[in-house]
Amino acid sequence: MKELLRKLIQARSTLDTGELAAAQVLADYFQSAGVEAVVDAWGENRANVTARLKGTGGKPPVVLACHLDVVAPGNEPWEHPPFSGVEVGGCIHGRGSVDMKGGTAAAAAAMVRIARMQPAPAGDVIFAATAGEETDSAGATRFVEAFRHCAPVAGVIIPEPTDFDIVVAHRGLFWLEITTLGKAAHSSTPHLGVNALLAMKGLLDDLEGHHIPFVPHPLLGDCSMSINTMHAGQAMNIVPDKCTLGIDIRTVPGQDHQAVQADMQTLIDKRRTAEPAFGAAIKVLRSVEPMETDPDCDFVRMFRRAVGIDATRAVGFTTDGPHFAALGGPVVVFGPGQTAQCHKPNEHIALADVERAADLYVAAINRCLEDCP
Ligand SMILES: [Zn+2]
């Protein structure tokens, strides 16, 4: 398992290099253990990898859903090269060691152990490591399409780093781009154009005073909106014909992303009524719905008992969980490593935690496949 984790880190799977090499590392690992694995590749270097253990039948499958991609190492210096996978003091260092190649290695090792069990579990166990969790969720969407016939599954376990907390809820992520549309002109005759930047000024004021409708969630609190980027203008002597804002909205369970978009459209329409020359368009850059799993449903109760941890909680970050929820089963996020290390320099994970995670995945899957109705 240690070698697998090191190889996964060395197969750098950032946005620019893609996930294919990391998918191949997992496929090789499974094949050398006698477990059949399938690499689903597309584009130049994108890929998912899946493996499926046949159960003795009767029970719906349990899914282990990982992601292959990692964020870039960033500009700050690292103590050890970020893609070396070096071992120091019982820890493996490198980009992705925590988010989430540690959990992925543990899940893959659990698969191999379950494959050797006699008799086989009562239901199938499906392993997936998918592309693009940090960017476009392309791999999760593709996996869910391909495995939709397995629905409803008994449950989905996401081995993201939670430091062994059982996570059952997180906020959604809704990234919008709003562009005001003007008319370019020579800046010596600005009256012949429509300045998109000045048009944005009014919309910015509207947005600042606007509250997106939501009902506060007992665990996750409020919906939030943050305006994070603005781009306009091509040159000093051209009236800008476009101005684009980037808005990050974090939603809570009960909110519908289409309704949030419609609410933004109403804001634009109101301004257009007041100012007929005003024009703007909304583009959705990314949409991950909020996640909420009943902590007392059969699957999560079994899971809690099997891993010996009773408490469940909510977190601030998002996962591909809402995509996997389309498979019709409850989703829990549970894995080794501390979230505080994610996306930062000197990311590292204790090997003992990766080992413990593998043990707990085996125990949880066995219990859930035996006891779930
Ligand atoms: Zn992650």
Side-chain angles (χ1 to χ4, degrees), residues 67 99-100 133-134 160-161:
H67 68 81
D99 186 10
M100 62 170 289
E133 191 269 343
E134 306 284 0
E160 289 267 21

Side-chain angles (χ1 to χ4, degrees), residues 9 62 113 132 185:
I9 292 168
V62 170
R113 278 194 231 166

Side-chain angles (χ1 to χ4, degrees), residues 66-70 98-101 133-134 158-161 317-320 342-343:
C66 312
H67 68 81
L68 288 168
D69 58 315
V70 297
V98 174
D99 186 10
M100 62 170 289
K101 288 175 170 174
E133 191 269 343
E134 306 284 0
I158 299 190
E160 289 267 21
F317 58 87
T318 63
T319 70
D320 269 341
C342 299
H343 302 198

Side-chain angles (χ1 to χ4, degrees), residues 81-96:
F83 296 105
S84 61
V86 68
E87 181 184 354
V88 184
C91 291
I92 296 289
H93 289 245
R95 170 56 82 226

Side-chain angles (χ1 to χ4, degrees), residues 15-335:
L15 179 61
D16 53 337
T17 48
E19 298 88 352
L20 184 56
Q24 201 55 55
V25 167
L26 279 162
D28 292 347
Y29 172 80
F30 281 128
Q31 255 134 34
S32 66
V35 174
E36 199 186 321
V38 178
V39 174
D40 170 24
W42 68 95
E44 256 177 48
N45 47 29
R46 309 296 307 274
N48 287 347
V49 57
T50 56
R52 184 171 187 165
L53 303 176
K54 275 273 153 223
T56 49
K59 297 282 175 92
V62 170
V63 180
L64 280 162
C66 312
H67 68 81
L68 288 168
D69 58 315
V70 297
V71 295
N75 297 322
E76 283 179 60
W78 285 59
E79 204 181 325
H80 306 285
F83 296 105
S84 61
V86 68
E87 181 184 354
V88 184
C91 291
I92 296 289
H93 289 245
R95 170 56 82 226
S97 52
V98 174
D99 186 10
M100 62 170 289
K101 288 175 170 174
T104 304
M111 283 292 282
V112 168
R113 278 194 231 166
I114 294 167
R116 290 176 184 155
M117 277 176 188
Q118 287 295 341
D124 289 7
V125 187
I126 299 169
F127 171 96
T130 61
E133 191 269 343
E134 306 284 0
T135 52
D136 55 6
S137 299
T141 316
R142 204 173 157 98
F143 167 76
V144 168
E145 272 313 307
F147 283 77
R148 203 175 278 280
H149 63 279
C150 299
V153 299
V156 179
I157 302 165
I158 299 190
E160 289 267 21
T162 64
D163 205 13
F164 299 107
D165 281 348
I166 301 173
V167 170
V168 290
H170 63 64
R171 292 198 295 173
L173 176 155
F174 197 38
W175 286 354
L176 296 180
E177 208 175 66
I178 300 185
T179 302
T180 50
L181 306 164
K183 190 176 150 205
H186 196 285
S187 56
S188 62
T189 54
H191 58 284
L192 297 178
V194 176
N195 191 315
L197 222 164
L198 291 176
M200 186 58 89
K201 182 172 154 255
L203 186 63
L204 264 175
D205 288 340
D206 294 347
L207 284 167
E208 198 187 358
H210 184 66
H211 292 283
I212 298 170
F214 71 94
V215 178
H217 187 271
L219 295 176
L220 296 163
D222 297 347
C223 166
S224 66
M225 173 170 76
S226 181
I227 302 167
N228 296 340
T229 61
M230 180 156 89
H231 299 288
Q234 304 166 51
M236 278 300 285
N237 54 1
I238 303 173
V239 173
D241 63 346
K242 273 188 193 139
C243 179
T244 301
L245 284 190
I247 307 175
D248 180 358
I249 300 166
R250 300 296 169 115
T251 52
V252 292
Q255 276 182 297
D256 169 35
H257 286 192
Q258 279 183 341
V260 174
Q261 187 177 347
D263 179 58
M264 288 287 153
Q265 188 61 51
T266 307
L267 211 67
I268 289 171
D269 293 344
K270 267 192 201 156
R271 180 146 287 274
R272 189 177 292 143
T273 311
E275 253 180 73
F278 180 84
I282 302 178
K283 187 174 162 193
V284 177
L285 295 186
R286 195 159 186 217
S287 176
V288 180
E289 298 279 340
M291 186 183 99
E292 187 175 35
T293 301
D294 175 7
D296 294 314
C297 69
D298 284 340
F299 180 76
V300 182
R301 267 192 303 108
M302 304 294 169
F303 188 92
R304 284 157 53 198
R305 214 172 298 157
V307 300
I309 298 163
D310 195 46
T312 59
R313 70 182 196 99
V315 287
F317 58 87
T318 63
T319 70
D320 269 341
H323 293 288
F324 296 114
L327 293 173
V331 180
V332 291
V333 187
F334 178 82

Side-chain angles (χ1 to χ4, degrees), residues 1 4 101-111 159 336 353-355 357-359 361:
M1 187 162 48
L4 171 63
K101 288 175 170 174
T104 304
M111 283 292 282
D353 283 352
V354 181
E355 295 281 352
D359 292 344
Y361 295 142

